[in-house]
Amino acid sequence: MAELTARDRAATLAILENAQWVYALGRYPKKQVLDDPSDVKMLRARLEATRKAARELSAAQKKKLDVPWDTLEAEAGETPDALWTMVKKVTPKLIAELRPLVSDRPEAAFLISPEAKKKASAKKKAATSRKRKK
């Protein structure tokens, strides 16, 4: 992988720092987060900080990553549902794509990694493959 410029590295770390706060809020139930004005305020602030840091990332680096940059930049009035979409769909993708870029940095030791989604079919298969003993 090509070496990041100092500016891209700083932007990447800033994006990840803010995105992990957003991701952490997404671990709570939607209603609990969106019904608390202080959580919504913090969520909006962290998303804006993530957007600001993303603007510092070079266009060349953005093209290399499979991240929905347009969704990240689109505020769309920031309705609660739009905020939650950012939390659940955009932020995990952002972390998964950017974290490997700075894995060699000491700061990376403190960054979270999104959990891989478990396949529902594996659960169903395990549940239906057991047979009763007579």
Side-chain angles (χ1 to χ4, degrees):
M1 184 169 287
E3 185 68 24
L4 288 176
T5 65
R7 180 179 171 186
D8 282 347
R9 184 173 300 278
T12 299
L13 287 169
I15 291 167
L16 288 169
E17 179 184 323
N18 288 292
Q20 67 183 2
W21 280 95
V22 174
Y23 180 78
L25 275 175
R27 306 287 293 153
Y28 293 98
K30 177 180 179 179
K31 185 168 177 43
Q32 180 180 340
V33 174
L34 297 181
D35 284 351
D36 184 349
S38 63
D39 283 347
V40 172
K41 183 179 178 181
M42 184 174 73
L43 184 58
R44 287 179 198 276
R46 290 294 179 161
L47 284 171
E48 184 51 42
T50 304
R51 285 184 187 105
K52 183 179 177 186
R55 288 183 205 116
E56 297 297 316
L57 196 62
S58 70
Q61 191 61 46
K62 285 182 180 180
K63 287 180 183 177
K64 294 177 187 177
L65 302 168
D66 183 25
V67 174
W69 298 110
D70 53 339
T71 305
L72 178 65
E73 286 296 326
E75 293 179 35
E78 300 234 339
T79 64
D81 287 333
L83 286 172
W84 200 249
T85 298
M86 294 290 290
V87 169
K88 295 306 248 179
K89 304 243 185 223
V90 177
T91 304
K93 184 100 173 147
L94 195 64
I95 294 170
E97 288 286 320
L98 292 175
R99 193 172 191 281
L101 298 177
V102 293
S103 62
D104 61 332
R105 303 295 300 167
E107 299 94 330
F110 300 102
L111 296 173
I112 59 174
S113 295
E115 293 178 4
K117 290 186 179 183
K118 296 175 185 170
K119 295 183 179 178
S121 62
K123 284 184 181 178
K124 288 180 183 177
K125 188 175 182 180
T128 59
S129 65
R130 287 188 245 145
K131 293 184 179 180
R132 279 188 131 169
K133 292 183 180 180
K134 292 183 181 182

